[in-house]
């Protein structure tokens, strides 16, 4: 393969490179697998970026090394050379044109032109001084310390390239820590000026303008000015066209993005084709855009596309140039190469520091915020990137005297680029944090805090509403609130007080230092034992034991291989003694720490036996030396030598938890899948019942299908209960995850509304949107199981308690835990109720005749089917609610299908609560019952109504009316959208048509009269909050009022020193009669 890679570049006449790397192929060129190489690089880069989230430089370094390895393989293998040959024959200028347009446009788009124009002269000064210092200092260092004998032109071009600051990576580490955008735009603006000037200079060299006979300094300067002016005009013209495309409100978003990207490349190619700088043209395009240059929400989409392309391009560039370096001769890679690279790195940072020192007086005079702290941060911003790398091959292409090792140009640039990305980025962010430059301005803090407070209120309201849904009764709402909490980085308390002027800088510094210096006080225990315990119980000690076992693999292989064992007898004996000593030391440390408890763990016993076998083995070897003629002793020693393999048994300790975890995860996944499928099946049966009711024309057919669907639904609900009983923690996790997702979706919707109204700034909206998207993404790692809440927490899930502390504490004091075994009867049909049961865990089945709904027996006989009614109750459901409200016999028999745990509130305690919190508590239980009946029987009619319990309580969207026998009620169709009989029966006073619960009264009904002892009607009002709030027909006040008995109870409660938490918003609603 020596003739395949005999040189790095092969040239045609006129010094034009034919190949990017390597010589022409000595074989027939066919279509290889270069596309596969590109796709594999993209996939690997994406995988590495996902794995190493916060270390982009590590990803690029790995890809560079991988490219170098591939290049070395191509250097020595024809098959690999065929794969990379399309890259090697690609001109370096083509790569520059492929990759640079998108990246420079993204960098310019992120700069705020309004800020940049105010500091333009400072930015221009920094750029010019940086170029001058680079020419002088870096050029001198290259000529002085480089042993590769580069000529003057190569040294100048190299210094220009190394002096380029990458406009993307130079501020990436500052954007996320709250640095003022003024300084990030200064850094990025300077970078774009240097990149644009360098691209023009290289364009001049490429056009051979310096070799013409009429060359004069005036013509060069005039040509540069015309190139810059022409590039700006070209960019401005193209920006108007792109802006026209993007502001068309009726255009397709995807089409607009494609046209935008196409116009970016076209602008670059137009500028380059006419001898101008395509880079300056794209900088002009990017600076002419802001948030108003796009139609709504398209800027975020375009930015995501640009970030994606930029990331992929960078990964490809570093991989490709790693291949280029690898295809060269490795004999030129010497120790001096590394030394010279370190010298260049130090020189680059020195030049940057000197530049900042020289321009600091002007920056201090021009900007009152600038000080030495900002100077230190900006001094670390000289990060090199892909633009330097893309232009590096042109050093050799444009040089007058060719060198034998042109790959070193790329190696030096790529090495410095990676070093500055890693070291300078870290130092820049670290310096900013250390020097206290990350604080957010006070107006911005207030705006952020107000927006976050508003969204937190929305989230809390959404969670409160979701708590009323039956399917979410056993959700771990504490975890939901924790996962949906917005965590936005703001200054600490001491920093905020300092910014507000409450604390002086020195006082704040002392307080922060005291907080950081806090540490626990040590006792008077034996320090040696504490140290041993700390070592033994650390993960490092456990891993050290496994490492010892791994290290013994190679000696064990040699021991089992007869030839190797005979050649290394003494060495194997010494190694065996060393490892037995380590086992003894490990056991001794554990025995000192655990003492007698050491042998309570089987793994410790096994390790102790391994240690004993090792000690016996050592003694046997020693005795064999003393008695070499004892055949029995030799046989025993050989057998014990093979027993050394038991030293690898502790490896199983690492595998067992992994296997258990794998099996547990698969079981939980299966349970989640079964629960989701069954839940979906239950919902489908309910939807099918509604559909059949609408399309069925024969009552008998409908009744038969209804019974089939009800049976299927009942069986599925039973399976749901059994799954929840067996995998309660898995079901809670699943429901909690779904609740979190719904809450975040609601918050995103409200964020979009606030953003669209201009209440939240674009930048803050993007940051908050990232926070929510990160939370949604974090749900992928949501635990598959959550421990069930404690029994007292279930009181928060009772809807009519509204999660109010005064109610919960009242019933928590009186509630009792009840336990039932399989087959136990909780309550029987026809018996008087003892109280209500809130199911904590387990499942019960309810058997009864069809519900009577309080209808008189003479009317009830005319109703339909006499089939038995069956229902399953699981965690979060309440048994006996209606019977306790009416103080009538229970209408069903409740039997435990599994072991059941319930929270029991007696009838006396419940009615004591009714008296204390009269009349709101009893009314709210009726309201909850009415809403559940309405949704159970008339869901299709109420599908457009938002009748959540909390909204009905707060805004009176629906309320409950009570009718006794012979009492009348007038129906106003203007203020009453629906009137639903949920309990009892009424008669139309005009037509004398009876209506039995459950039933929706027709619009023709104007006045009704109660025909049962007690009738309850749910009145749904039109969706007009202002109207509903002041509606005079609301007969029951739903506010929480305090009677004299409640006051006395509260006083006794406080006297017994029970903590009682009052919510500020609740205390304002409590009124004494």
């Amino acid at each position: 393969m020596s003739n395949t890679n005999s040189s790095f570049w092969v040239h045609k006449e006129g010094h034009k490179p034919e190949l990017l790397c390597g010589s022409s192929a000595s074989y027939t060129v066919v279509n290889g697998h270069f596309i596969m190489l590109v796709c594999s690089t993209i996939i690997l880069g994406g995988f590495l970026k996902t794995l190493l989230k916060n270390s982009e430089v590590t990803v690029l370094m790995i890809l560079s090394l991988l490219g170098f390895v591939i290049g070395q393989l191509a250097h020595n293998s024809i098959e690999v050379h065929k794969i990379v040959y399309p890259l090697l024959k690609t001109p370096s200028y083509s790569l520059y044109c492929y990759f640079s347009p998108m990246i420079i446009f993204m960098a310019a788009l992120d700069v705020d032109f309004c800020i940049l124009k105010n500091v333009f002269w400072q930015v221009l000064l920094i750029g010019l001084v940086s170029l001058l210092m680079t020419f002088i200092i870096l050029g001198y260092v290259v000529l002085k310390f480089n042993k590769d004998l580069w000529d003057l032109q190569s040294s100048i071009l190299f210094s220009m390239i190394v002096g380029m600051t990458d406009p993307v990576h130079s501020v990436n580490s500052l954007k996320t820590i709250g640095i003022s955008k003024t300084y990030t735009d200064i850094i990025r603006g300077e970078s774009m000026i240097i990149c644009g000037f360098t691209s023009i200079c290289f364009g001049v060299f490429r056009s051979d303008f310096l070799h013409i006979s009429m060359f004069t300094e005036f013509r060069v300067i005039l040509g540069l000015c015309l190139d810059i002016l022409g590039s700006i005009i070209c960019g401005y013209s193209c920006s108007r066209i792109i802006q026209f495309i993007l502001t068309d409100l009726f255009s397709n978003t995807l089409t607009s993005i494609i046209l935008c990207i196409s116009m970016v490349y076209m602008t670059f190619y137009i500028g380059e084709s006419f001898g101008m700088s395509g880079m300056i043209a794209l900088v002009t395009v990017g600076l002419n855009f802001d948030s108003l240059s796009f139609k709504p929400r398209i800027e975020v989409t375009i930015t995501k596309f640009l970030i994606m392309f930029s990331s992929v391009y960078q990964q490809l560039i570093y991989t490709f140039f790693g291949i280029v370096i690898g295809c060269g001769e490795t004999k030129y890679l010497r120790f001096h190469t590394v030394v010279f690279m370190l010298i260049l790195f130090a020189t680059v940072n020195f030049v940057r520091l000197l530049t900042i020192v020289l321009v600091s007086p002007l920056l201090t005079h021009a900007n009152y915020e600038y000080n030495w702290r900002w100077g230190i941060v900006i001094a670390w911003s000289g990060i090199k990137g892909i633009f330097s790398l893309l232009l590096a091959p042109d050093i050799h292409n444009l040089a007058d005297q060719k060198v034998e090792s042109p790959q070193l140009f790329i190696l030096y640039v790529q090495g410095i680029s990676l070093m500055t990305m890693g070291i300078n980025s870290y130092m820049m962010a670290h310096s900013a944090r250390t020097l206290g430059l990350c604080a957010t301005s006070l107006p911005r803090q207030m705006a952020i805090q107000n927006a976050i407070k508003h969204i937190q209120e929305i989230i809390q309201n959404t969670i409160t509403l979701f708590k009323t849904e039956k399917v979410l009764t056993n959700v771990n709402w504490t975890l939901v609130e924790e996962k949906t909490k917005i965590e936005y980085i703001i200054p600490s308390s001491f920093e905020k007080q300092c910014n507000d002027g409450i604390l002086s800088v020195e006082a704040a510094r002392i307080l922060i230092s005291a907080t950081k210096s806090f540490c626990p006080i040590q006792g008077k225990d034996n320090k040696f034992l504490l140290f041993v315990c700390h070592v033994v119980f650390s993960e490092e000690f456990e891993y050290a034991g496994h490492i010892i076992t791994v290290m013994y693999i190679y000696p064990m292989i040699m021991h089992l291989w007869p030839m190797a064992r005979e050649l290394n007898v003494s060495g194997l004996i010494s190694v065996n003694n060393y490892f037995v000593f380590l086992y003894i030391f490990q056991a001794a440390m554990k025995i000192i720490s655990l003492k007698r408890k050491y042998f309570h763990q089987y793994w410790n016993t096994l390790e102790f036996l391994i240690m004993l076998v090792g000690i016996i083995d050592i003694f046997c070897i020693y005795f064999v030396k003393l008695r070499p003629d004892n055949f029995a002793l030799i046989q025993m020693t050989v057998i014990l030598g093979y027993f050394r393999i038991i030293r690898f048994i502790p490896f199983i300790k690492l595998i067992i938890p992994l296997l258990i975890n794998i099996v547990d995860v698969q079981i939980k996944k299966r349970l989640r899948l079964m629960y989701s499928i069954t839940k979906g099946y239950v919902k489908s049966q309910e939807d099918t019942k509604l559909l059949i009711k609408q399309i069925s024309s024969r009552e008998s057919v409908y009744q038969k299908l209804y019974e089939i669907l009800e049976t299927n639904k009942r069986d599925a609900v039973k399976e749901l209960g059994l799954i929840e009983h067996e995998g309660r923690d898995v079901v809670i996790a699943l429901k909690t995850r779904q609740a979190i997702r719904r809450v975040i979706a609601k918050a995103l919707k409200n964020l979009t509304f606030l953003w669209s109204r201009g209440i939240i700034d674009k930048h803050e909206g993007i940051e908050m949107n990232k926070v929510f998207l990160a939370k949604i993404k974090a749900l992928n790692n949501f635990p598959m199981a959550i421990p069930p809440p404690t029994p007292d927490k279930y009181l928060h899930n009772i809807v009519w308690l509204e999660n109010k502390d005064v109610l919960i504490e009242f019933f928590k004091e009186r509630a009792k835990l009840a336990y039932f075994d399989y087959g136990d009867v909780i309550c029987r049909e026809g018996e008087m109720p003892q109280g209500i049961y809130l199911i904590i865990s387990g499942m019960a089945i309810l058997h009864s005749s069809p519900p009577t709904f309080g209808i008189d027996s003479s009317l009830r006989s005319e109703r339909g089917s006499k089939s038995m009614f069956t229902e399953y109750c699981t965690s979060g459901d309440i048994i006996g609610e209606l019977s306790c409200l009416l103080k009538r016999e229970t209408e069903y028999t409740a039997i435990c299908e599994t072991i059941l745990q319930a929270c029991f509130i007696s009838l006396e305690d419940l009615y004591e609560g009714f008296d204390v919190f009269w009349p709101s508590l009893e009314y709210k239980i009726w309201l909850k019952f009415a809403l559940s009946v309405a949704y159970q029987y008339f869901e299709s009619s109420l599908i457009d109504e938002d009748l959540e319990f909390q909204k009905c309580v707060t805004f009176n969207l629906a309320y409950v009316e009570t009718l006794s026998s012979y009492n009348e009620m007038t129906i106003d169709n203007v203020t009453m959208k629906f009137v639903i009989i949920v309990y009892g029966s009424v008669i139309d006073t005009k037509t004398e048509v009876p209506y039995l619960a459950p039933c929706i009264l027709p619009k023709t009904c104007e006045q009704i009269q109660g025909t049962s002892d007690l009738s309850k009607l749910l009145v749904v009002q039109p969706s007009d909050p202002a109207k509903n709030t002041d509606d005079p027909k609301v007969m029951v006040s739903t506010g929480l009022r305090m009677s004299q008995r409640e006051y006395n109870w509260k006083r006794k409660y406080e006297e017994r020193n029970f903590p009682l938490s009052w919510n500020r918003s609740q205390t304002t609603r409590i009124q004494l009669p």
Side-chain angles (χ1 to χ4, degrees), residues 864-876:
S865 173
K866 298 290 184 180
S867 60
M868 291 296 294
F869 173 81
T870 303
E871 183 179 358
Y872 290 93
C873 296
T874 58
S875 176

Side-chain angles (χ1 to χ4, degrees), residues 225-236:
C225 294
L226 291 177
D227 286 346
I228 295 174
L229 183 61
S231 301
I232 294 174
I233 294 174
C234 175
Y236 180 81

Side-chain angles (χ1 to χ4, degrees), residues 829 846-852 866-871 890-893:
E829 185 175 0
L846 309 183
H847 295 289
S848 72
S849 303
T852 63
K866 298 290 184 180
S867 60
M868 291 296 294
F869 173 81
T870 303
E871 183 179 358
T890 305
E891 294 186 351
Y892 48 76
T893 299

Side-chain angles (χ1 to χ4, degrees), residues 678-912:
T678 310
K679 190 175 179 182
Y681 179 79
V682 171
K683 180 61 177 174
S684 69
Q685 298 299 298
E686 294 175 350
D687 296 340
T688 306
K689 285 193 297 185
L690 294 175
L691 181 62
I692 292 176
K693 184 177 182 181
Q694 295 174 359
I695 65 176
S696 178
S697 58
R698 297 180 60 184
E699 184 65 22
S700 59
V701 175
Y702 166 71
Q703 192 65 30
K704 183 65 177 177
L705 293 175
Y706 182 88
E707 291 176 359
I708 294 173
L709 294 172
E710 189 64 24
T711 302
N712 294 340
K713 174 189 172 183
R714 190 164 55 246
D715 293 339
V717 171
K718 179 180 179 181
E719 292 299 323
L720 283 177
L722 293 175
I723 294 174
E724 187 165 353
H725 176 70
E726 295 296 330
R728 189 177 170 204
D729 53 348
V730 177
V731 174
I732 291 176
L734 177 62
K735 291 184 176 181
T736 305
R737 183 179 184 274
Q738 294 171 348
I740 293 172
R741 184 66 179 85
R742 293 175 64 183
V743 171
I744 295 176
K746 185 82 172 180
L748 275 172
K749 183 177 180 182
N750 285 277
L751 174 62
T752 304
F753 174 81
L754 295 175
W755 191 355
S756 63
R757 293 298 185 273
I759 300 173
I760 296 179
D761 184 64
K762 178 194 72 173
H763 177 73
E764 305 302 339
I766 292 174
E767 293 299 321
M768 292 182 189
N769 187 62
K770 288 181 180 178
V771 172
F772 286 122
L773 293 180
K775 290 184 179 294
I776 293 175
K777 187 176 180 181
L779 290 179
N780 296 329
N781 301 321
F782 194 81
M784 301 189 69
I786 298 177
T790 55
D792 61 310
K793 297 295 183 182
Y794 273 89
L795 289 175
H796 294 266
N797 294 334
I798 300 179
V799 174
W800 37 268
L801 292 183
E802 297 185 275
N803 203 25
K804 293 182 177 179
D805 293 338
V806 63
L807 291 169
I808 292 173
E809 292 297 333
F810 177 86
F811 285 107
K812 185 188 293 185
E813 182 186 9
R814 291 157 175 76
K816 301 176 182 178
L817 284 178
Y819 299 90
F820 300 91
D821 203 350
Y822 171 76
D824 288 352
V825 177
I826 301 176
C827 58
R828 295 185 183 275
E829 185 175 0
E831 293 181 351
M832 289 299 295
Q834 301 298 317
I836 62 174
Y837 295 88
L838 170 63
I839 299 178
I840 296 174
S841 64
M843 182 174 66
I845 183 172
L846 309 183
H847 295 289
S848 72
S849 303
T852 63
F853 291 102
I855 303 171
D856 188 78
S857 58
S858 59
L859 299 174
R860 200 188 317 149
S861 61
E862 301 175 3
R863 295 173 71 94
S865 173
K866 298 290 184 180
S867 60
M868 291 296 294
F869 173 81
T870 303
E871 183 179 358
Y872 290 93
C873 296
T874 58
S875 176
D877 293 332
I878 298 178
I879 298 176
E881 212 171 21
L882 182 61
S883 301
C884 289
L885 276 175
L886 299 170
K887 283 190 177 180
R888 294 182 182 178
E889 296 85 355
T890 305
E891 294 186 351
Y892 48 76
T893 299
I895 303 174
C896 295
E897 284 284 298
T898 64
I899 296 175
L900 187 141
Q901 182 183 17
C903 179
F904 174 70
I905 300 176
S906 67
L907 187 65
E908 292 77 11
D909 293 334
L910 182 64
Y911 271 82
E912 182 183 355

Side-chain angles (χ1 to χ4, degrees), residues 126-138 351 355 358:
I126 296 175
L128 294 177
V129 173
S130 179
L131 282 173
L132 181 61
M133 292 296 101
T134 300
F135 275 129
I136 298 173
I137 300 176
L138 198 57
V351 170
T355 301
L358 292 176

